[in-house]
């Protein structure tokens, strides 16, 4: 489901695992979020309680 990236460091982290463009303390959480986004087929796949997914009004 990930189509493009605006942040070059985040894209590099996603593609290669390099942490040059991100803060290392956020790496674990970012890996979890990016993995969920990449395998999701729609918004319903991202409905986790801790993410508080809601429709836009």
């Amino acid at each position: 489901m990930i189509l493009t990236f605006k942040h070059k460091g985040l894209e590099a982290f996603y593609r290669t695992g390099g942490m040059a463009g991100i803060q290392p303390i956020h790496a674990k959480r970012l890996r979890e979020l990016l993995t969920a986004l990449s395998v999701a087929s729609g918004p319903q796949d991202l409905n986790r309680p801790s993410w508080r997914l809601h429709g836009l009004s």
Side-chain angles (χ1 to χ4, degrees):
M1 189 165 157
I2 296 176
L3 302 176
T4 61
F5 287 88
K6 285 190 175 185
H7 191 276
K8 291 180 183 179
L10 193 59
E11 182 175 9
F13 178 68
Y14 176 70
R15 300 208 189 281
T16 66
M19 291 190 266
I22 65 165
Q23 293 184 11
I25 61 170
H26 298 299
K28 182 179 176 185
R29 179 81 168 141
L30 285 171
R31 188 174 321 277
E32 178 185 331
L33 290 167
L34 290 171
T35 301
L37 285 170
S38 68
V39 298
S41 61
Q44 69 279 2
D45 296 335
L46 301 173
N47 193 11
R48 295 178 54 185
S50 62
W51 291 356
R52 297 184 297 263
L53 182 69
H54 63 279
L56 299 175
S57 57

